[in-house]
Amino acid sequence: MTRGKASFGSVRRLPSGRWQARYTAPDLVRHTAPLTFDTRGDAETWLAMRRSEVARGVWLPPRTAAEVLTFGAYAETWLADRDLKPRTRELYRSLLDRRILPTFADVTLTAITPAAVRRWYVYQPTATPTARAHAYGLLKGICATAVADEHLAANPCRIRAAGTSKRVHKVRPATLPELEALAAAMPERQRLMVLFAAWCGLRFGEVTELRRKDIDLTNGALRIRRAVVRVDG
C-alpha cells in the first residue's frame, strides 16, 4: 500500500490500485473522500478543492451518505423542471441515458472533478462529433445549474470548445439541373416541398406544416408559423 503526503491531507494507494484521499478539517475530524480515484493526481485534485473550501471559509462537514446528492438524481430533477419542446426533451433524455448517466449516475455532484469530466469526454465516441458535443453541453448545463443552486462551488466542465463540433462529411448542395430533376421526379402535389426546402431553407417539419394561408402572393411572403416534430413513442 503506497502512501503519500500531500500539501493538504494525504493520499494512499489501496490494494485495488485505486487512490484514497483523506484530510483533517477545521472540525478536527479526519474525513475520507466518498469515492476512490483512478490516479494519485485525481486524489490530490480532490484534496485541493477541499483545501480551497477551507481557505475561502465555505467548507461544510460532509453529509451522511443518505443525504449526498448524486448526479443522476439531480439530473432527473433538472430535466423534469425544464420547459422543453418534445424533441429537445427526447434528445436530452437520450444523451443522459446513453452517454452521461452510465458514468456519472451514482457519482455525487461534489465528486465530479474537471479531471473526471476530461476522462469521460476522452472516451466519448469521436465518430459522432455532434452527439459528443451535445452531451458535453448538456453535462455542462446541468452542472451550471448545480452551481447556481449552490450544490457545486464551480463548474467542473472546463474543456475549451468541447461543446462545438466540426462537420464530419462535407455537404455538396444540389446543382440547379439536379434540383430540377429532383422536383420533377416527385409526385405533382409534393414538388413545391422540394422547391421550398431548397430555395427558402425550410426544414422538413416546416415544409410539411405549410398551409395555403401561409403563402402571401400579394406581398411575395411565406410565413412559417408551425412545424411538425417526430418523437419516439
Side-chain angles (χ1 to χ4, degrees), residues 121-172:
Y121 182 75
V122 165
Y123 288 104
Q124 291 301 299
T126 57
T128 52
T130 300
R132 187 190 195 201
H134 286 171
Y136 178 84
L138 178 58
L139 176 61
K140 185 175 182 179
I142 294 174
C143 289
T145 305
V147 172
D149 290 343
E150 299 184 351
H151 293 303
L152 287 174
N155 196 322
C157 300
R158 306 173 190 176
I159 305 174
R160 294 185 61 183
T164 60
S165 63
K166 295 182 180 179
R167 189 183 296 273
V168 177
H169 304 291
K170 186 175 181 180
V171 177
R172 182 184 68 82

Side-chain angles (χ1 to χ4, degrees), residues 6-7 26 29 60 66 87 89 92 101 145 149 152 154 157 181 191 198:
S7 58
V29 175
L60 294 174
R87 191 65 179 271
R89 185 174 298 278
Y92 286 177
L101 293 182
T145 305
D149 290 343
L152 287 174
C157 300
R191 289 174 186 171

Side-chain angles (χ1 to χ4, degrees), residues 208-221:
T208 53
E209 276 294 296
L210 284 176
R211 302 289 187 270
R212 291 181 183 273
K213 62 183 179 181
D214 297 325
I215 303 174
D216 185 348
L217 296 178
T218 302
N219 298 305

Side-chain angles (χ1 to χ4, degrees), residues 5 21 37 44 63 74 82 87 98 101 112 144 146 156 168 230:
K5 185 69 175 179
F37 304 89
E44 291 178 342
R63 293 170 291 177
Y74 186 78
R82 290 294 176 282
R87 191 65 179 271
R98 297 181 181 182
L101 293 182
I112 300 178
V168 177
R230 182 182 65 183

Side-chain angles (χ1 to χ4, degrees), residues 176-188 190-192 194-195:
L176 289 179
E178 289 172 338
L179 181 59
E180 291 176 357
L182 181 60
M186 295 291 288
E188 184 176 358
Q190 296 177 339
R191 289 174 186 171
L192 276 179
V194 175
L195 298 177

